[in-house]
């Protein structure tokens, strides 16, 4: 295996300041001819496997892997690769360790809250195996850095949790001629595949167009059981080790799908490489990296997304709603979150009508809403449209609910003025009541 020649790029040192500094993009690792006594002792249980043996271990020690994302997938992946003796691990992540990460991102610790994830993961891996070279890259992978970094490593593992990054990493891998091991996990399921390897399809062959931004859910929005990315990240590490050591059959022609509730796996045969693919086809139109956030219409982040579906005059800030509340202006507050989120926290004055009930025009939910509006309207002497405010976690679903209510004609609702609360309950917790739970 080969990698790019040694050069420098603007990346931060592990224990240096947070500002970007010049650090080395490492040169290729040498392919050694023998193992030391300590290596034989450390990797003994792998060495006795006929499929691996000394040759496989030497190949692992000469292999470098770029890990994109040090979160729920990247942590178990990097942990097992370091434990197995992969020669070099590059860790890419621009985020910091937060309390909500710890139920699934197992390399991080409470003592490292607020520390860059790349540095936190690197510190844990060095404690696990000091013989493995770990290079943290505290940056958001973009078109200016991706190709150079990918070329400096033999294999790439995409452990991101957003839409643009898989397209970016895939295109960089195709242009650099590197295999891509990609996994994803959400709620209670996940999937895994190897792209651009041994004639198999690339990511764009299967997904030439990104999904509409409003249909995308990530772990911050949809939740995830911590062990699910642990399982997928471990399987991802297995695929990397098989390719690096030259053993077994990779998932280059199939996708592995995991269902945690049923405890089962399905293997789905993938379509072959598309000769008309924009990046790996016979006549590619993508010959350089693009603006992938523009291409996907969403940000390359695992944070909760922010939609903008309403005009400014159809929205109020949490500060404005607090003034309305304190002034005791008659109104109705509708919380459109699902029941599982309402159980976590809520505002006492809210009535609960889940968004899916509004979308389905559920009779019982609409009757409850009409009744509450009718009761509240009796407290107001004004004849103008009665104010209804809609809230959710972040101010995304509430905008969808406002759109529905604006076009709804239902007995008892009467003339209403519907607005959503910008930023939702998490903005309320941040700006109005710091004791209000954030989730």
């Amino acid at each position: 295996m080969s990698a790019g020649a040694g050069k420098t790029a603007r990346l931060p040192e592990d224990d240096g300041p947070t500002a970007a500094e010049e650090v080395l993009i490492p040169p290729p690792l040498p392919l050694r001819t023998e193992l030391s006594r300590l290596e034989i002792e450390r990797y003994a249980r792998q060495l006795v496997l006929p499929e691996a043996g000394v040759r496989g271990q030497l190949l692992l020690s000469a292999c470098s892997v770029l890990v994109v994302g040090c979160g729920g997938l990247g942590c178990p992946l990097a942990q097992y690769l370091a434990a197995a003796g992969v020669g070099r691990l590059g860790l890419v992540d621009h985020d910091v360790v937060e309390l909500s990460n710890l139920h699934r991102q197992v390399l991080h610790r409470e003592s490292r809250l607020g520390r860059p994830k790349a540095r936190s993961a690197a510190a844990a891996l060095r404690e696990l195996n000091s013989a493995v070279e770990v290079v943290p890259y505290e940056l958001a992978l973009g078109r200016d850095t991706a190709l150079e970094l990918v070329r400096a490593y033999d294999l790439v593992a995409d452990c991101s949790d957003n839409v643009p990054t898989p397209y970016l990493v895939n295109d960089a891998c195709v242009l650099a001629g590197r295999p891509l091991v990609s996994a994803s996990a959400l709620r209670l399921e996940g999937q895994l595949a190897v792209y651009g390897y041994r004639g198999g399809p690339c990511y764009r062959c299967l997904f030439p167009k990104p999904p509409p931004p409003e249909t995308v859910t990530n772990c911050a929005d949809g939740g995830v059981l911590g062990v699910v990315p642990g399982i997928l990240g471990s399987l991802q590490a297995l695929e990397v080790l098989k390719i690096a050591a030259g053993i077994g059959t990779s998932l280059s022609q199939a996708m592995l799908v995991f269902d945690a509730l049923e405890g089962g796996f399905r293997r789905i045969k993938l379509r072959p490489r598309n000769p008309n693919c924009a990046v790996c086809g016979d006549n590619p139109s993508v010959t350089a990296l693009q603006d992938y956030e523009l291409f996907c219409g969403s940000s390359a982040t695992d944070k909760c997304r922010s939609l903008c579906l309403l005009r400014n005059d159809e929205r109020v800030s949490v500060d404005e709603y607090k003034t309305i509340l304190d002034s005791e202006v008659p109104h109705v507050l509708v919380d459109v979150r699902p029941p599982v989120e309402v159980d976590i926290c809520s505002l006492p004055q809210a009535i609960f009508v889940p968004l899916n009930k509004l979308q389905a025009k559920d009779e019982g939910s609409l009757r409850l809403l009409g009744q509450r509006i009718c009761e509240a309207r009796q407290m107001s002497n004004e004849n103008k449209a009665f104010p209804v405010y809609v809230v959710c976690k972040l101010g995304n679903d509430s905008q969808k609910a406002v759109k529905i209510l604006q076009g709804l004609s239902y007995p008892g609702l009467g003339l209403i003025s519907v607005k959503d609360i910008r930023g939702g309950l998490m903005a309320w917790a941040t700006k109005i009541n710091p004791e209000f739970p954030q989730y």
Side-chain angles (χ1 to χ4, degrees):
M1 296 183 177
S2 63
K7 54 169 65 176
T8 60
R10 295 185 62 78
L11 307 171
E13 293 284 348
D14 176 51
D15 294 316
T18 56
E21 297 177 354
E22 297 286 340
V23 300
L24 185 69
I25 287 184
L29 292 167
L31 181 58
R32 296 155 51 210
T33 58
E34 61 181 17
L35 299 172
S36 69
R37 178 184 61 82
L38 288 178
E39 286 177 311
I40 291 173
E41 182 177 351
R42 176 184 281 268
Y43 306 119
R45 302 302 184 269
Q46 290 178 181
L47 294 173
V48 297
L49 290 171
E51 295 84 355
V54 172
R55 177 184 176 277
Q57 193 64 49
L58 289 170
L59 287 173
L60 290 183
S61 72
C63 181
S64 59
V65 181
L66 185 67
V67 181
V68 181
C70 299
L73 293 164
C75 281
L77 166 85
Q79 190 168 17
Y80 273 107
L81 295 184
V86 167
R88 179 184 295 136
L89 291 173
L91 308 177
V92 181
D93 202 305
H94 72 287
D95 208 353
V96 299
V97 181
E98 300 175 350
L99 189 61
S100 62
N101 301 149
L102 299 184
H103 90 288
R104 67 194 184 283
Q105 301 180 15
V106 294
L107 284 179
H108 309 306
R109 299 289 181 268
E110 289 182 1
S111 61
R112 294 200 282 269
L113 289 174
R115 190 178 185 188
K117 286 184 181 180
R119 301 187 194 184
S120 172
L125 295 174
R126 288 172 182 144
E127 289 182 1
L128 174 63
N129 191 344
S130 60
V132 173
E133 182 184 349
V134 184
V135 186
Y137 300 107
E138 187 194 332
L139 53 75
L141 201 65
R143 60 177 173 178
D144 296 330
T145 54
L147 191 55
E148 184 179 25
L149 275 176
V150 166
R151 282 176 174 154
Y153 287 82
D154 301 310
L155 288 162
V156 180
D158 177 24
C159 305
S160 59
D161 183 21
N162 62 73
V163 177
T165 299
Y167 285 97
L168 166 67
V169 175
N170 173 80
D171 291 1
C173 284
V174 172
L175 295 175
R178 300 291 187 264
L180 171 60
V181 182
S182 180
S184 63
L186 181 67
R187 298 190 177 107
L188 292 158
E189 56 191 24
Q191 59 188 39
L192 168 69
V194 177
Y195 297 111
Y197 183 60
R198 291 188 173 176
C202 80
Y203 184 80
R204 272 197 195 244
C205 289
L206 303 179
F207 309 105
K209 294 182 179 179
E214 65 273 13
T215 67
V216 175
T217 301
N218 60 19
C219 291
D221 287 329
V224 64
L225 189 65
V227 69
V228 175
I231 292 169
L232 270 297
S234 298
L235 290 169
Q236 200 174 3
L238 173 62
E239 290 302 306
V240 170
L241 293 173
K242 285 160 57 181
I243 294 172
I247 62 174
T249 303
S250 76
L251 287 168
S252 62
Q253 306 288 344
M255 177 178 289
L256 192 66
V257 179
F258 174 59
D259 182 339
L261 277 183
E262 297 297 327
F265 291 89
R266 289 186 298 126
R267 189 182 176 100
I268 301 173
K269 185 177 180 180
L270 297 179
R271 295 191 299 269
R273 183 185 74 87
N274 180 5
N276 297 316
C277 175
V279 66
C280 78
D282 298 338
N283 297 291
S285 58
V286 177
T287 57
L289 299 184
Q290 307 173 331
D291 184 334
Y292 292 87
E293 291 188 338
L294 180 64
F295 173 65
C296 297
S298 60
S299 299
T301 176
D302 61 355
K303 304 300 183 185
C304 295
R305 70 196 191 285
S306 180
L307 300 179
C308 187
L309 306 176
L310 301 176
R311 302 188 310 269
N312 285 335
D313 62 351
E314 296 174 306
R315 314 189 72 185
V316 297
S317 68
V318 288
D319 298 288
E320 290 171 319
Y321 181 69
K322 179 67 162 56
T323 300
I324 292 168
L325 200 59
D326 291 343
S327 302
E328 298 184 351
V329 176
H331 70 280
V332 166
L333 176 66
V334 184
D335 188 331
V336 295
R337 295 175 299 152
V340 66
E341 294 187 33
V342 173
D343 288 344
I344 298 172
C345 58
S346 63
L347 294 175
Q349 68 272 25
I351 64 169
F352 307 111
V353 182
L355 177 62
N356 63 350
K357 297 288 189 181
L358 286 178
Q359 291 170 328
K361 294 182 172 55
D362 177 73
E363 286 287 330
S365 299
L366 292 177
R367 190 179 305 112
L368 170 64
L369 180 57
Q371 180 181 345
R372 287 296 297 270
I373 290 175
C374 183
E375 293 172 355
R377 195 191 297 270
Q378 293 176 1
M379 301 171 59
S380 173
N381 295 322
E382 299 185 22
N383 294 322
K384 62 182 182 181
F386 188 78
V388 175
Y389 298 97
V390 186
V391 72
C392 64
K393 177 183 178 182
L394 297 162
N396 291 329
D397 285 349
S398 57
Q399 294 183 73
K400 298 176 185 177
V402 168
K403 288 284 190 183
I404 294 171
L405 290 171
Q406 285 175 337
L408 194 63
S409 176
Y410 187 81
L413 288 182
L415 186 62
I416 59 175
S417 168
V418 193
K419 296 184 179 182
D420 100 299
I421 298 177
R422 190 189 305 270
L425 293 176
M426 296 305 96
W428 182 268
T430 301
K431 298 180 180 180
I432 305 299
N433 181 8
E435 297 301 315
F436 194 86
Q438 297 197 47
Y439 64 98

